Amino acid sequence: MNITNDKVTEYLEGLYRPWSPDLLKLREIAEQHHVPIILRDSETLILNIIRMKKPVRILEIGTAIGYSAICFAHAAPGAEIVTLERSEKMYQYAHTNIEKFGLSHRIQMKRGDALESLKDLRNTINDTESEGFDLVFLDAAKSYYRKFWDACIPLCRKEAVILSDNVLLHARTAADEFITERRQKTSVRQMREFLDHITNLDYAETAVLAVGDGIAVSVLKDGYQRKL
Ligand SMILES: C[S@@+](CC[C@H](N)C(=O)[O-])C[C@H]1O[C@@H](n2cnc3c(N)ncnc32)[C@H](O)[C@@H]1O
């Protein structure tokens, strides 16, 4: 289910302009094979946030076939991107795609569970201000967002931007009436707890936007590390 009126979604999708024919082709392949990549309107918003922020190091949790990481590399031409993926199959697809786009030197892939990779990253970063991330994109298992968030914060530079995708879970986060299966209840509860948490932090400001499937845009305040 779309979180906004279907006609509005259709209209906005008509305004979508892909970066290049090759990226559009990759998007279409993902869509045909039901690989859950960023939605078109989310992509447009996220890439403009990246253009405004001009990050030097981007961290992505959830690579899938590498589509969003490749988009990020285009929107931030000088940035280094680290992207985490646990599925061997997705990792291999992403590896091939990133190579095809000639971006292997800028996109570093790490295979394995993101929480483990985040622990490893924490051990390799000596100085957060010079080696940390200034933009983080959360786009893996939705019920782990709180854990991903907590593991990412120590890797972030001051005033880093954290984007959490799909936070409205097809509107289910907003209202129980959209829950269609019992098993969705736990993930909805966890997502509500996550949003409650990140919207009440004293070290970050968060706006939850009804774009795509819902995106939370958080900005860490200067000096946040002292408060943790
Ligand atoms: C929504 S897709 C990512 C889409 C990608 N960001 C894009 O827009 O092109 C989520 C991916 O996260 C991966 N994933 C889920 N849980 C994970 C975890 N705990 N650690 C690492 N990757 C995970 C899944 O295998 C899947 O490929």
Side-chain angles (χ1 to χ4, degrees):
M1 181 191 141
N2 287 323
I3 60 170
T4 52
N5 181 307
D6 284 354
K7 288 210 165 105
V8 174
T9 304
E10 198 181 314
Y11 172 72
L12 293 178
E13 287 196 349
L15 298 177
Y16 172 76
R17 297 290 172 266
W19 181 276
S20 70
D22 285 346
L23 258 172
L24 180 61
K25 209 159 140 195
L26 187 57
R27 165 175 282 289
E28 286 171 349
I29 291 171
E31 288 170 353
Q32 275 159 21
H33 291 87
H34 307 289
V35 177
I37 61 166
I38 38 173
L39 294 171
R40 293 171 187 224
D41 52 347
S42 311
E43 175 188 319
T44 308
L45 172 71
I46 292 167
L47 297 190
N48 266 354
I49 291 173
I50 290 178
R51 290 183 188 105
M52 287 187 279
K53 174 70 181 164
K54 298 184 176 50
V56 175
R57 293 196 82 208
I58 298 176
L59 173 63
E60 175 180 63
I61 323 277
T63 318
I65 61 165
Y67 177 80
S68 50
I70 294 168
C71 289
F72 298 167
H74 282 108
E80 180 197 346
I81 297 153
V82 177
T83 180
L84 316 180
E85 174 58 55
R86 76 171 167 199
S87 151
E88 171 69 31
K89 196 167 116 189
M90 288 297 169
Y91 176 88
Q92 294 303 340
Y93 281 132
H95 191 270
T96 306
N97 289 328
I98 289 167
E99 222 166 48
K100 260 194 212 157
F101 277 80
L103 290 166
S104 307
H105 60 299
R106 291 184 46 215
I107 303 176
Q108 191 191 339
M109 296 176 57
K110 289 188 183 291
R111 183 160 42 88
D113 186 84
L115 288 173
E116 288 305 312
S117 302
L118 290 167
K119 255 190 233 162
D120 294 344
L121 276 172
R122 199 168 174 178
N123 291 332
T124 58
I125 292 180
N126 296 311
D127 173 43
T128 319
E129 275 320 296
S130 59
E131 299 168 39
F133 296 95
D134 31 30
L135 191 131
V136 176
F137 182 51
L138 298 190
D139 194 22
K142 312 303 161 198
S143 45
Y144 281 81
Y145 271 18
R146 174 66 197 275
K147 285 196 166 108
F148 293 147
W149 175 282
D150 288 346
C152 284
I153 292 296
L155 305 173
C156 284
R157 286 184 176 152
K158 281 177 192 147
E159 297 178 318
V161 170
I162 304 180
L163 305 172
S164 310
D165 203 13
N166 306 102
V167 294
L168 289 180
L169 300 174
H170 304 283
R172 294 194 286 270
T173 309
D176 285 351
E177 66 189 89
F178 300 116
I179 296 176
T180 51
E181 290 170 44
R182 234 182 117 146
R183 65 186 174 90
Q184 294 167 349
K185 282 189 175 175
T186 308
S187 52
V188 166
R189 178 179 50 74
Q190 285 164 328
M191 187 57 84
R192 286 177 185 161
E193 285 169 6
F194 171 70
L195 290 180
D196 264 356
H197 178 69
I198 64 169
T199 51
N200 283 295
L201 291 169
D202 61 352
Y203 65 83
E205 297 291 354
T206 293
V208 181
L209 309 179
V211 174
D213 189 26
I215 301 179
V217 179
S218 308
V219 183
L220 302 188
K221 292 181 191 168
D222 186 12
Y224 75 92
Q225 281 160 323
R226 286 188 295 277
K227 289 183 188 162
L228 285 179

mmCIF file of all heavy atoms in Angstrom, residues 50-66:
data_model
loop_
_atom_site.group_PDB
_atom_site.id
_atom_site.type_symbol
_atom_site.label_atom_id
_atom_site.label_comp_id
_atom_site.label_asym_id
_atom_site.label_seq_id
_atom_site.Cartn_x
_atom_site.Cartn_y
_atom_site.Cartn_z
ATOM 1 N N ILE A 50 22.060 14.473 -0.126
ATOM 2 C CA ILE A 50 23.494 14.183 -0.299
ATOM 3 C C ILE A 50 24.174 15.360 -1.006
ATOM 4 O O ILE A 50 25.254 15.793 -0.606
ATOM 5 C CB ILE A 50 23.696 12.854 -1.067
ATOM 6 C CG1 ILE A 50 23.275 11.692 -0.160
ATOM 7 C CG2 ILE A 50 25.141 12.699 -1.546
ATOM 8 C CD1 ILE A 50 23.369 10.312 -0.782
ATOM 9 N N ARG A 51 23.522 15.910 -2.017
ATOM 10 C CA ARG A 51 24.137 17.056 -2.730
ATOM 11 C C ARG A 51 24.296 18.251 -1.790
ATOM 12 O O ARG A 51 25.263 18.990 -1.870
ATOM 13 C CB ARG A 51 23.274 17.446 -3.935
ATOM 14 C CG ARG A 51 23.325 16.408 -5.047
ATOM 15 C CD ARG A 51 22.523 16.841 -6.271
ATOM 16 N NE ARG A 51 22.457 15.752 -7.202
ATOM 17 C CZ ARG A 51 21.384 14.979 -7.421
ATOM 18 N NH1 ARG A 51 20.249 15.208 -6.783
ATOM 19 N NH2 ARG A 51 21.431 13.985 -8.276
ATOM 20 N N MET A 52 23.337 18.441 -0.887
ATOM 21 C CA MET A 52 23.424 19.576 0.050
ATOM 22 C C MET A 52 24.487 19.314 1.119
ATOM 23 O O MET A 52 25.250 20.189 1.472
ATOM 24 C CB MET A 52 22.068 19.811 0.727
ATOM 25 C CG MET A 52 21.045 20.421 -0.206
ATOM 26 S SD MET A 52 19.534 20.860 0.663
ATOM 27 C CE MET A 52 18.697 19.312 0.759
ATOM 28 N N LYS A 53 24.520 18.098 1.629
ATOM 29 C CA LYS A 53 25.427 17.763 2.739
ATOM 30 C C LYS A 53 26.882 17.621 2.262
ATOM 31 O O LYS A 53 27.813 17.859 3.025
ATOM 32 C CB LYS A 53 24.923 16.463 3.401
ATOM 33 C CG LYS A 53 25.809 15.890 4.479
ATOM 34 C CD LYS A 53 25.816 16.737 5.732
ATOM 35 C CE LYS A 53 26.734 16.142 6.778
ATOM 36 N NZ LYS A 53 27.066 17.104 7.830
ATOM 37 N N LYS A 54 27.045 17.171 1.019
ATOM 38 C CA LYS A 54 28.392 16.919 0.456
ATOM 39 C C LYS A 54 29.245 16.043 1.389
ATOM 40 O O LYS A 54 30.328 16.446 1.841
ATOM 41 C CB LYS A 54 29.131 18.236 0.171
ATOM 42 C CG LYS A 54 28.447 19.110 -0.854
ATOM 43 C CD LYS A 54 29.284 20.339 -1.163
ATOM 44 C CE LYS A 54 28.708 21.217 -2.246
ATOM 45 N NZ LYS A 54 27.306 21.594 -2.116
ATOM 46 N N PRO A 55 28.763 14.846 1.682
ATOM 47 C CA PRO A 55 29.512 13.983 2.597
ATOM 48 C C PRO A 55 30.820 13.497 1.983
ATOM 49 O O PRO A 55 30.925 13.351 0.764
ATOM 50 C CB PRO A 55 28.563 12.801 2.836
ATOM 51 C CG PRO A 55 27.693 12.780 1.637
ATOM 52 C CD PRO A 55 27.556 14.193 1.161
ATOM 53 N N VAL A 56 31.779 13.240 2.866
ATOM 54 C CA VAL A 56 33.074 12.706 2.419
ATOM 55 C C VAL A 56 33.061 11.185 2.569
ATOM 56 O O VAL A 56 33.623 10.452 1.779
ATOM 57 C CB VAL A 56 34.210 13.340 3.253
ATOM 58 C CG1 VAL A 56 35.557 12.728 2.912
ATOM 59 C CG2 VAL A 56 34.247 14.846 3.030
ATOM 60 N N ARG A 57 32.375 10.709 3.647
ATOM 61 C CA ARG A 57 32.264 9.260 3.863
ATOM 62 C C ARG A 57 30.803 8.912 4.142
ATOM 63 O O ARG A 57 30.175 9.485 5.036
ATOM 64 C CB ARG A 57 33.148 8.813 5.027
ATOM 65 C CG ARG A 57 34.629 8.950 4.736
ATOM 66 C CD ARG A 57 35.445 8.143 5.725
ATOM 67 N NE ARG A 57 35.516 6.745 5.353
ATOM 68 C CZ ARG A 57 35.678 5.735 6.213
ATOM 69 N NH1 ARG A 57 35.735 5.974 7.501
ATOM 70 N NH2 ARG A 57 35.754 4.495 5.788
ATOM 71 N N ILE A 58 30.302 7.976 3.357
ATOM 72 C CA ILE A 58 28.908 7.536 3.508
ATOM 73 C C ILE A 58 28.903 6.075 3.952
ATOM 74 O O ILE A 58 29.671 5.264 3.428
ATOM 75 C CB ILE A 58 28.159 7.658 2.153
ATOM 76 C CG1 ILE A 58 28.121 9.112 1.681
ATOM 77 C CG2 ILE A 58 26.745 7.085 2.246
ATOM 78 C CD1 ILE A 58 27.480 9.325 0.301
ATOM 79 N N LEU A 59 28.020 5.775 4.905
ATOM 80 C CA LEU A 59 27.858 4.385 5.352
ATOM 81 C C LEU A 59 26.442 3.947 5.012
ATOM 82 O O LEU A 59 25.474 4.637 5.335
ATOM 83 C CB LEU A 59 28.068 4.320 6.877
ATOM 84 C CG LEU A 59 27.774 2.985 7.565
ATOM 85 C CD1 LEU A 59 28.697 1.878 7.075
ATOM 86 C CD2 LEU A 59 27.914 3.145 9.089
ATOM 87 N N GLU A 60 26.334 2.805 4.346
ATOM 88 C CA GLU A 60 25.007 2.269 4.005
ATOM 89 C C GLU A 60 24.838 0.897 4.643
ATOM 90 O O GLU A 60 25.700 0.041 4.517
ATOM 91 C CB GLU A 60 24.875 2.136 2.481
ATOM 92 C CG GLU A 60 23.565 1.471 2.072
ATOM 93 C CD GLU A 60 23.414 1.338 0.560
ATOM 94 O OE1 GLU A 60 24.227 0.628 -0.068
ATOM 95 O OE2 GLU A 60 22.486 1.937 0.015
ATOM 96 N N ILE A 61 23.690 0.706 5.287
ATOM 97 C CA ILE A 61 23.375 -0.615 5.856
ATOM 98 C C ILE A 61 22.318 -1.223 4.942
ATOM 99 O O ILE A 61 21.174 -0.745 4.921
ATOM 100 C CB ILE A 61 22.794 -0.517 7.292
ATOM 101 C CG1 ILE A 61 23.440 0.596 8.115
ATOM 102 C CG2 ILE A 61 22.823 -1.860 8.004
ATOM 103 C CD1 ILE A 61 24.700 0.290 8.773
ATOM 104 N N GLY A 62 22.672 -2.237 4.187
ATOM 105 C CA GLY A 62 21.747 -2.867 3.232
ATOM 106 C C GLY A 62 22.084 -2.465 1.804
ATOM 107 O O GLY A 62 21.610 -1.451 1.301
ATOM 108 N N THR A 63 22.925 -3.278 1.145
ATOM 109 C CA THR A 63 23.393 -2.956 -0.212
ATOM 110 C C THR A 63 22.414 -3.436 -1.279
ATOM 111 O O THR A 63 22.242 -2.771 -2.309
ATOM 112 C CB THR A 63 24.756 -3.687 -0.488
ATOM 113 O OG1 THR A 63 25.583 -3.592 0.649
ATOM 114 C CG2 THR A 63 25.441 -3.161 -1.718
ATOM 115 N N ALA A 64 21.824 -4.610 -1.071
ATOM 116 C CA ALA A 64 21.075 -5.346 -2.106
ATOM 117 C C ALA A 64 21.957 -5.454 -3.358
ATOM 118 O O ALA A 64 23.088 -5.900 -3.261
ATOM 119 C CB ALA A 64 19.718 -4.708 -2.357
ATOM 120 N N ILE A 65 21.488 -4.975 -4.513
ATOM 121 C CA ILE A 65 22.294 -5.159 -5.740
ATOM 122 C C ILE A 65 23.210 -3.960 -6.009
ATOM 123 O O ILE A 65 23.760 -3.834 -7.090
ATOM 124 C CB ILE A 65 21.409 -5.448 -6.970
ATOM 125 C CG1 ILE A 65 20.452 -4.277 -7.238
ATOM 126 C CG2 ILE A 65 20.631 -6.746 -6.802
ATOM 127 C CD1 ILE A 65 19.811 -4.314 -8.624
ATOM 128 N N GLY A 66 23.304 -3.053 -5.039
ATOM 129 C CA GLY A 66 24.235 -1.922 -5.172
ATOM 130 C C GLY A 66 23.630 -0.683 -5.800
ATOM 131 O O GLY A 66 24.319 0.324 -6.008
#
